[in-house]
Amino acid sequence: MSDDLIKNVQNILTEEKFTRAALSNYSITQFKDLDAVLKEAEDAHALDEVRAECDEYLTHSKNSIKALYLSGMIAISRQIIDDAVLVNLVSLFADNHKWNIVKYLCERILEKGESKFALRTLAECYRNEGNEEAVFETWQRLVKIDFDEADITKTLAEHFENEGDEETAVDYYKKALGRYINKGQFAPVREIWQKLIDYRSLEIDFFLSMQGKVAKSISPEKAAALLQDVYLSCKKRDDIDTAIDVLKLIFTYDERDAEARKEIAECYRVKYANHSHLEEYIKLSNLTASYRNVQEAIQDFEKHIAFDKGNFVFHRSWGVGRIAKVETDDVTIDFAKKRGHTMALKMAIDALTTLSKDHIWVLKATQKKEKLYEQVKTDPIWTLKTIIKSFNNFYDIRKLKSELVPSVLSENEWTTWNTKVRKILKTDPSFGVSPDNVDVFSVRDRQNSLAEKLYNEFKAEKKFLNRVDIIRKFENAYDPQIDAEYFADMFSYFTGFLKSYNHNQVNEQVLGSYLLIKEIASRVPALAENLHVNFVTLFEEIDDITAVYAALKDKKLQAALLKEIKLFVATWFDVYVKLFPLALRQEILDELLDEGHKNSVASLVRNCFNNYRDNRNAVIWFYKTNKEAAPEWYAEAAITQEKEVVTLIHILDTSFHEIENHINTLDNKKIIKQVIGILFESGLIYDYIDAAGVEAIDSVYTPLQNVKDLDPALKDRFRKNIMKKYPDFKFSGIAEKDTAIKGLLVTMAAFDEKQKQLAKIMEEDIPANAKEIAFALSLGDLRENAEFKAAKEKQTILNSTVAKLKDDIERAQLFDPSTVTTNRVSFGTKVLVRNETKNADEEYTILGPWESNPDKKIISYLSPFGNAILNRKAGDKFEFKIADSQMSYEIKEITGARI
């Protein structure tokens, strides 16, 4: 059928060539006939063959209408970026004013996905028909995907404004405003700004955000001019606090603005009309004097004006206090431990921090602890708002713990409470994240949409892959009618990498941006035009594909990369083999096997085992896959059980060495845990000895003993297993040597006791000591503060004890009682010795320093006598010097101790 179809296409193209039909003779019916051909090709899975035939025909007949149409429609159905073929075709008919055909072609293009060109052209068709309603509907679709189009967006706003649809008009005015700002066109910006102030004067956050963009994209002076409009609007509705904030912002652009200086003084007179020292502080701060820096004058005035009877202040030694009275030059303050304290006003302004009555420090100082605890515990949203507002509504959430623990919550309570709070900050629209720092939050009077919240998080985030995650979340959350500008700004971050990358410097950010844009364009085809480069070009400029793949990390991007490699790289199978040890994806092997590269897969397996140092995770993956499914390709690799066991032991040794040298510690710990699980917990090493027989013991026993940091209990268990199965086996070399004890051997009971000691200090003693220090600080004058010195000394002792306990616990190796061997004196044995000097029998239990109790004849294997007796056999004689006496001993019997 495919051959007949291609012949039919050839006939259609040849017929066109000979009839040489003029453009004026084409009709929609002819294109519908071509659509039938496309449907037939689709059903026969022959679209690519038809396109290839048409493209070849266009090389010598570039204006063939039918070839252009067939090739172009197939290209957009395949989401191929280059739409030049269809643009050329539509332009031919538009230039000849065949608007009915132009309209049909545009509608057909749009059936496959939104297209800027098709929408613009379709709107022109409707305008020629006089169908204004359809024009506006088409423009609405256009501005959703064309983030640079400003003029049409403004026209839409005016249209809906004339229709009386204020809500929709405002949305389009906001979009147009952002687009004109990006274009640097101030005249339309100023015009739209005025309209939005008339419609949405209360949306201060919006205006403040937009003026920042004006300052950056146009000029600070223009931003200041726009802020004047906002100020006048605030003043008109008596929103004095916001008016003051706007004036302060104006001063950041122009400190010499005399009119703004005069206005801020008037605003302060309104705000503090009832303050007894208002005019005095205005004069004292030189707020209206042009010779003084306005920022300093404002700061000075606000410090002074905050000192009024009943207000709260904070002193670093005396804590929170309340102002009892203010006189001309003095202020009297009641602190908890220093009531009626009088200070010079000037000194108070320099030494004290003024606090609002709702400040968290004030609440902690004035409320009963039980009441505050209950409110914090049950109302985390109130707590967050209170603390964030306490610090100028701009708070680094990483400091939250120090504000509440241990003064309000315990360490254990904090963990659960903090988990709940983190979810609230992510989802509650009352909290906004700073666009400069993902850890800094503010409380919003106007609730954020989730899209705005994600946008701010995106702007604050510095890591590329985290931004990838955010824009994906944004795609699912945003409203195209309202949040398109946010999406456009975020999207431009990724397109920027493709526009500005240097050749031969394609890294994970450039490649990741290409893959992400293609991923998003699969859902919004119009965005595909932002792919200014093809994959083959990018791939050829990558120095190290394995390094780029590893750096991508994101699973979706890695999967997309593999797909692109398979589609566009001729030697994709070699690249797949190279990437597998990093990727560890079954689909890579499936693709290789499906395409007949069975030998390559077997070679890959062998290479990973032979070069285990660089392919440790791959070896583990191959072993587990074979264990679960026993695939044929693994059998082809001919990896013996001995090879598996020995390779895994070498991997253990390599990983322990790297940990010792502080190389990839976390990854190596995971590898070690997996290998120990395979060898010992799943029993691979025991199964191998059982199956291979006594001849195989030395091939694995010696390498295992040479793994320096492996738990001795595991080594002993393996040795014991060998001795049990092969009691007559003679260990060579290392078996007759003393086995050094690594780490600090301890019993489970002693280990549990040390952990309890550490937990008590961390959860009880340290929090109690912190309260003692806080109380001592509140007493003031640290030079003669005995309580403070005692508390700090105790803190030093506690910290030292914690450090030692943590170090001991880190070094501790739990002893497995089942591994006790009685052929030598070792940890966990009871030893009967003959003291030949005293002619008496003595019995000792050999344990560690944590369990040592000389009164009960329990001695540490690390003690001088323990070290002297360790590893000796029954019948051995030895001498030991105690003080000035030389003692002679003979070991009579070794038994297992009850632990």
Side-chain angles (χ1 to χ4, degrees):
M1 181 176 176
S2 179
D3 290 342
D4 292 340
L5 177 64
I6 296 302
K7 286 181 181 178
N8 183 35
V9 170
Q10 291 172 343
N11 291 335
I12 289 171
L13 298 177
T14 303
E15 179 187 346
E16 179 191 38
K17 180 178 179 182
F18 285 113
T19 57
R20 297 186 182 277
L23 283 174
S24 58
N25 294 329
Y26 273 89
S27 67
I28 292 175
T29 301
Q30 290 168 289
F31 286 103
K32 288 184 176 180
D33 292 340
L34 293 176
D35 288 336
V37 173
L38 289 172
K39 181 66 171 65
E40 185 182 353
E42 184 178 3
D43 293 341
H45 304 289
L47 286 173
D48 291 334
E49 294 166 71
V50 171
R51 181 168 181 250
E53 187 70 32
C54 292
D55 287 348
E56 193 281 328
Y57 187 78
L58 287 168
T59 58
H60 50 80
S61 300
K62 65 179 182 179
N63 289 328
S64 167
I65 302 300
K66 294 180 179 179
L68 285 170
Y69 184 74
L70 291 171
S71 175
M73 289 305 297
I74 293 172
I76 63 170
S77 70
R78 288 280 195 261
Q79 294 186 352
I80 294 172
I81 300 164
D82 187 2
D83 62 353
V85 171
L86 282 177
V87 170
N88 186 20
L89 177 64
V90 173
S91 298
L92 283 172
F93 284 100
D95 291 344
N96 285 271
H97 305 291
K98 294 283 290 182
W99 295 112
N100 61 330
I101 293 179
V102 171
K103 181 180 174 183
Y104 179 81
L105 294 175
C106 289
E107 288 172 342
R108 286 285 289 129
I109 293 170
L110 292 170
E111 287 174 11
K112 303 297 183 182
E114 298 291 67
S115 159
K116 295 178 189 177
F117 170 77
L119 287 169
R120 287 182 187 279
T121 309
L122 184 60
E124 190 177 350
C125 291
Y126 288 134
R127 176 148 284 177
N128 288 325
E129 293 175 356
N131 189 348
E132 289 299 308
E133 183 178 350
V135 171
F136 285 113
E137 288 175 357
T138 307
W139 279 348
Q140 285 180 271
R141 291 168 64 184
L142 173 64
V143 299
K144 285 181 186 178
I145 62 169
D146 189 347
F147 301 128
D148 295 323
E149 178 52 62
D151 291 338
I152 290 177
T153 310
K154 179 171 177 282
T155 302
L156 283 168
E158 292 166 345
H159 167 74
F160 285 107
E161 186 178 30
N162 293 331
E163 294 286 318
D165 186 348
E166 179 183 310
E167 202 67 38
T168 306
V170 167
D171 285 340
Y172 280 114
Y173 274 131
K174 285 181 177 180
K175 286 183 175 65
L177 179 68
R179 297 176 186 196
Y180 281 124
I181 290 172
N182 291 337
K183 290 173 177 287
Q185 298 177 13
F186 184 68
V189 166
R190 187 63 184 265
E191 179 188 349
I192 295 171
W193 188 270
Q194 290 286 358
K195 282 185 174 291
L196 288 173
I197 284 180
D198 291 339
Y199 284 125
R200 293 290 186 270
S201 61
L202 295 178
E203 294 184 12
I204 296 300
D205 290 338
F206 170 78
F207 292 109
L208 295 184
S209 173
M210 289 296 106
Q211 68 80 27
K213 292 183 178 182
V214 171
K216 184 177 179 181
S217 300
I218 302 177
S219 76
E221 293 76 19
K222 300 298 186 186
L226 296 177
L227 285 171
Q228 288 285 357
D229 298 335
V230 179
Y231 163 71
L232 292 173
S233 173
C234 294
K235 184 180 179 183
K236 184 177 179 181
R237 63 174 187 275
D238 295 326
D239 184 357
I240 298 302
D241 285 337
T242 305
I244 290 171
D245 289 339
V246 172
L247 288 170
K248 287 179 181 178
L249 197 51
I250 290 173
F251 289 132
T252 64
Y253 297 131
D254 184 5
E255 291 183 349
R256 299 183 179 278
D257 190 325
E259 186 61 30
R261 190 162 192 153
K262 176 183 173 185
E263 290 294 328
I264 201 166
E266 291 306 312
C267 286
Y268 280 135
R269 286 189 172 98
V270 173
K271 181 174 181 176
Y272 299 108
N274 298 322
H275 197 290
S276 55
H277 299 277
L278 172 62
E279 292 301 327
E280 179 185 347
Y281 290 161
I282 288 177
K283 183 177 180 182
L284 189 63
S285 63
N286 294 311
L287 185 62
T288 57
S290 59
Y291 58 81
R292 188 174 187 196
N293 179 281
V294 69
Q295 307 281 12
E296 293 176 2
I298 289 171
Q299 188 177 17
D300 200 2
F301 170 79
E302 290 188 343
K303 276 187 174 182
H304 279 82
I305 205 71
F307 281 84
D308 202 11
K309 182 179 178 180
N311 288 354
F312 290 93
V313 293
F314 176 80
H315 187 277
R316 60 186 178 86
S317 297
W318 305 326
V320 174
R322 191 170 190 174
I323 299 173
K325 62 179 178 178
V326 180
E327 296 177 338
T328 306
D329 296 317
D330 295 321
V331 58
T332 303
I333 304 164
D334 290 329
F335 293 101
K337 303 291 183 180
K338 207 174 183 72
R339 300 186 68 82
H341 181 71
T342 300
M343 301 175 69
L345 181 59
K346 189 176 186 310
M347 181 182 291
I349 288 171
D350 292 336
L352 303 178
T353 303
T354 56
L355 306 176
S356 71
K357 65 180 180 179
D358 298 321
H359 195 290
I360 186 64
W361 295 351
V362 173
L363 298 178
K364 287 198 286 187
T366 58
Q367 283 193 9
K368 288 184 178 181
K369 183 176 178 180
E370 296 76 15
K371 180 182 177 183
L372 184 59
Y373 166 81
E374 190 62 30
Q375 187 149 16
V376 169
K377 193 80 185 292
T378 59
D379 194 348
I381 293 178
W382 172 87
T383 307
L384 280 172
K385 288 183 177 181
T386 298
I387 293 176
I388 293 171
K389 286 183 176 180
S390 295
F391 299 94
N392 298 319
N393 202 20
F394 194 76
Y395 189 72
D396 189 332
I397 215 68
R398 291 172 296 185
K399 299 176 182 177
L400 190 60
K401 183 177 181 180
S402 63
E403 205 58 64
L404 295 174
V405 178
S407 57
V408 180
L409 299 173
S410 69
E411 190 79 31
N412 286 341
E413 289 171 326
W414 162 258
T415 303
T416 305
W417 190 87
N418 183 50
T419 302
K420 188 186 299 183
V421 159
R422 291 284 175 173
K423 289 180 181 176
I424 290 170
L425 289 171
K426 286 283 186 186
T427 57
D428 193 314
S430 301
F431 300 98
V433 64
S434 164
D436 301 313
N437 187 331
V438 289
D439 294 308
V440 173
F441 286 83
S442 60
V443 178
R444 301 293 296 266
D445 294 326
R446 178 183 62 84
Q447 292 190 343
N448 292 34
S449 65
L450 179 56
E452 185 178 356
K453 201 176 184 75
L454 287 170
Y455 173 73
N456 285 335
E457 189 178 336
F458 183 91
K459 299 297 285 185
E461 182 57 65
K462 306 304 177 191
K463 295 179 180 177
F464 176 84
L465 290 175
N466 288 352
R467 285 189 161 192
V468 170
D469 286 338
I470 294 169
I471 197 171
R472 283 179 179 146
K473 291 176 186 174
F474 189 95
E475 239 200 313
N476 294 325
Y478 88 115
D479 180 345
Q481 286 292 342
I482 301 172
D483 306 312
E485 305 310 309
Y486 292 146
F487 181 78
D489 196 18
M490 295 162 70
F491 194 72
S492 68
Y493 168 78
F494 298 102
T495 59
F497 283 105
L498 297 185
K499 291 176 181 176
S500 61
Y501 85 95
N502 294 320
H503 295 288
N504 301 319
Q505 290 185 356
V506 174
N507 57 18
E508 68 277 7
Q509 293 179 331
V510 174
L511 190 60
S513 294
Y514 170 88
L515 296 169
L516 178 70
I517 292 169
K518 193 160 186 180
E519 174 192 323
I520 295 173
S522 69
R523 298 183 286 271
V524 187
L527 297 177
E529 66 181 41
N530 292 280
L531 291 169
H532 304 288
V533 63
N534 62 53
F535 180 78
V536 173
T537 301
L538 289 177
F539 187 82
E540 289 172 349
E541 293 170 356
I542 296 173
D543 290 333
D544 184 352
I545 185 60
T546 56
V548 172
Y549 181 92
L552 274 176
K553 293 180 182 177
D554 182 89
K555 295 293 184 186
K556 283 187 178 180
L557 294 182
Q558 288 177 332
L561 174 57
L562 292 172
K563 185 178 178 182
E564 294 288 297
I565 290 170
K566 175 82 186 300
L567 283 172
F568 299 112
V569 178
T571 56
W572 64 270
F573 42 87
D574 289 334
V575 182
Y576 269 31
V577 168
K578 186 185 293 186
L579 289 178
F580 181 81
L582 274 174
L584 301 180
R585 302 173 79 109
Q586 181 64 48
E587 56 264 36
I588 290 181
L589 300 184
D590 292 341
E591 293 278 6
L592 288 167
L593 293 167
D594 289 346
E595 296 290 340
H597 295 281
K598 189 176 181 180
N599 291 337
S600 295
V601 173
S603 176
L604 167 64
V605 177
R606 288 191 293 270
N607 180 64
C608 287
F609 273 87
N610 292 334
N611 299 286
Y612 62 85
R613 286 179 179 274
D614 298 324
N615 301 296
R616 280 168 268 179
N617 283 310
V619 169
I620 295 168
W621 190 93
F622 281 131
Y623 171 79
K624 287 183 175 179
T625 301
N626 180 50
K627 187 76 174 175
E628 293 170 5
E632 185 181 335
W633 51 262
Y634 190 82
E636 287 285 329
I639 303 297
T640 64
Q641 192 176 45
E642 179 183 1
K643 180 75 170 178
E644 290 175 338
V645 174
V646 173
T647 301
L648 289 168
I649 292 172
H650 287 323
I651 286 173
L652 270 182
D653 193 36
T654 301
S655 295
F656 274 123
H657 276 303
E658 288 194 358
I659 289 176
E660 187 178 9
N661 293 308
H662 308 291
I663 300 171
N664 298 329
T665 301
L666 189 60
D667 290 339
N668 276 306
K669 283 184 177 179
K670 290 179 181 177
I671 289 171
I672 289 168
K673 184 177 180 181
Q674 290 185 82
V675 173
I676 288 175
I678 293 170
L679 288 175
F680 298 100
E681 294 167 19
S682 297
L684 174 63
I685 197 165
Y686 304 124
D687 294 342
Y688 170 65
I689 293 299
D690 289 345
V694 67
E695 298 80 9
I697 294 175
D698 278 337
S699 68
V700 296
Y701 182 80
T702 301
L704 188 69
Q705 292 298 320
N706 287 333
V707 180
K708 187 174 72 169
D709 292 316
L710 181 64
D711 186 349
L714 294 173
K715 295 180 181 179
D716 289 342
R717 189 186 305 166
F718 182 52
R719 179 188 173 95
K720 189 175 180 180
N721 183 276
I722 293 172
M723 293 174 67
K724 182 178 179 181
K725 188 167 183 64
Y726 305 106
D728 298 328
F729 179 78
K730 301 295 183 185
F731 292 95
S732 61
I734 192 168
E736 294 303 316
K737 297 178 184 177
D738 293 341
T739 301
I741 298 175
K742 307 299 179 186
L744 180 68
L745 282 179
V746 300
T747 61
M748 177 60 79
F751 186 77
D752 288 343
E753 183 59 32
K754 289 288 183 183
Q755 286 192 312
K756 287 177 183 176
Q757 290 177 23
L758 179 61
K760 181 179 180 300
I761 295 173
M762 295 292 290
E763 296 174 12
E764 297 177 22
D765 297 349
I766 288 178
N769 177 245
K771 291 181 180 179
E772 291 170 0
I773 292 173
F775 174 73
L777 281 170
S778 71
L779 300 178
D781 198 354
L782 301 184
R783 292 171 298 179
E784 299 180 8
N785 192 329
E787 291 89 345
F788 178 74
K789 291 178 181 176
K792 289 296 287 183
E793 287 172 5
K794 185 176 179 181
Q795 183 186 58
T796 301
I797 294 170
L798 288 172
N799 289 340
S800 176
T801 305
V802 166
K804 186 176 186 311
L805 280 170
K806 284 183 175 180
D807 183 60
D808 286 347
I809 291 171
E810 179 69 24
R811 290 192 304 118
Q813 293 197 17
L814 290 175
F815 178 71
D816 184 352
S818 68
T819 65
V820 170
T821 176
T822 57
N823 63 337
R824 289 174 181 265
V825 177
S826 60
F827 189 101
T829 57
K830 184 176 284 188
V831 188
L832 179 65
V833 298
R834 180 71 177 175
N835 187 329
E836 295 179 336
T837 304
K838 292 184 177 181
N839 197 28
D841 287 345
E842 299 172 4
E843 191 173 61
Y844 298 98
T845 298
I846 311 300
L847 294 175
W850 289 4
E851 299 87 0
S852 178
N853 188 337
D855 293 339
K856 293 183 178 181
K857 299 295 184 181
I858 300 173
I859 63 173
S860 167
Y861 71 90
L862 296 176
S863 68
F865 185 73
N867 189 53
I869 200 172
L870 200 66
N871 286 317
R872 296 189 184 278
K873 301 176 183 177
D876 284 356
K877 294 186 177 183
F878 67 98
E879 292 187 348
F880 183 74
K881 189 173 183 179
I882 301 176
D884 294 327
S885 303
Q886 190 78 10
M887 298 288 184
S888 296
Y889 294 93
E890 180 184 355
I891 297 176
K892 296 184 68 176
E893 184 182 12
I894 304 170
T895 59
R898 294 181 66 184
I899 301 175

